[in-house]
Amino acid sequence: RKEVEQDPGPFNVPEGATVAFNCTYSNSASQSFFWYRQDCRKEPKLLMSVYSSGNEDGRFTAQLNRASQYISLLIRDSKLSDSATYLCVVNKTGGFKTIFGAGTRLFVKA
Amino acid sequence: SAVISQKPSRDICQRGTSLTIQCQVDSQVTMMFWYRQQPGQSLTLIATANQGSEATYESGFVIDKFPISRPNLTFSTLTVSNMSPEDSSIYLCSATTGVNQPQHFGDGTRLSIL
């Protein structure tokens, strides 16, 4: 079993749609969680951190369920510019080791 | 967040040669890392660049093939030695300021081996 698992997609959605990505992690002691966005042929960029209380940044909402070892990202009112690969990222406890999921590809179409 | 500059941004090299990639951060960071990413694939960690000591390599990567330096808190280099076509990839450096902090990435080096 991979340490961080994501649905690879691709997700094909129309503009204005709401789309949700899920991610599960295997190490129950993991401490910190992030979503990154990676555009084609570009480096990954931090989208948002994920907190147990849930957090929102504009059209993006991230949730963490420690009991189920599950992370989600919700994108509302999708824009064409949201088309990218979304990476779920988990930091291992006690160190700097970071595990990147394989990513979920999103295509938003007009 | 830290601004990370990598160079070269791309190169085309002959097999058997070596290339050194530089990574410069605009502020002091705790940890720096080197990754490889094949097209359409996820990131693979090569090693953690430790300041003042030898890098810590992941399984499948060795110092003779990927020597790494980190002479101070803002700079690191990765050398890809004795290159073969299988080394064609994007190489990325990243940095973080502390435990449980996110990593930030340089814009990558696109390497092609002929």
Side-chain angles (χ1 to χ4, degrees), chain A residues 31-32 34 36 38 40-46 49 87 91-98 100-103, chain B residues 10 30-31 33 35 37 42-43 45 58 90 92 96-108 110:
Chain A
Q31 288 290 341
S32 52
F34 310 96
Y36 281 71
Q38 185 171 25
C40 188
R41 300 176 67 80
K42 297 286 189 181
E43 76 277 17
K45 292 185 178 178
L46 178 66
S49 301
L87 305 172
N91 271 15
K92 284 189 169 182
T93 301
F96 296 89
K97 190 75 175 288
T98 299
F100 285 79
Chain B
R10 64 181 65 242
T30 307
M31 301 297 287
F33 305 90
Y35 291 84
Q37 187 174 31
S42 188
L43 297 161
L45 180 64
E58 298 300 304
I90 299 172
L92 292 149
T96 183
T97 55
V99 175
N100 295 327
Q101 297 301 309
Q103 294 182 28
H104 296 279
F105 287 84
D107 52 9
R110 285 154 185 77

Side-chain angles (χ1 to χ4, degrees), chain B residues 7-103:
Chain B
K7 57 180 182 181
S9 58
R10 64 181 65 242
D11 208 338
I12 301 173
C13 302
Q14 297 290 330
R15 68 176 68 201
T17 63
S18 298
L19 177 74
T20 295
I21 303 168
Q22 298 181 4
C23 181
Q24 178 74 55
V25 189
D26 69 344
S27 57
Q28 290 188 352
V29 290
T30 307
M31 301 297 287
M32 296 181 73
F33 305 90
W34 287 97
Y35 291 84
R36 184 167 73 181
Q37 187 174 31
Q38 305 283 3
Q41 303 292 316
S42 188
L43 297 161
T44 300
L45 180 64
I46 298 172
T48 302
N50 301 309
Q51 194 267 327
S53 64
E54 194 170 284
T56 304
Y57 289 84
E58 298 300 304
S59 175
F61 297 96
V62 295
I63 187 171
D64 289 346
K65 176 67 175 177
F66 297 101
I68 288 170
S69 77
R70 189 176 172 199
N72 56 51
L73 291 174
T74 63
F75 185 77
S76 178
T77 67
L78 168 74
T79 299
V80 186
S81 303
N82 188 25
M83 289 183 285
S84 66
E86 292 72 35
D87 295 320
S88 296
S89 189
I90 299 172
Y91 291 84
L92 292 149
C93 78
S94 73
T96 183
T97 55
V99 175
N100 295 327
Q101 297 301 309
Q103 294 182 28

Side-chain angles (χ1 to χ4, degrees), chain A residues 69-81:
Chain A
Q69 296 178 210
Y70 170 94
I71 306 160
S72 65
L73 177 68
L74 185 75
I75 304 176
R76 291 180 299 279
D77 188 23
S78 299
K79 311 292 185 189
L80 294 176
S81 57

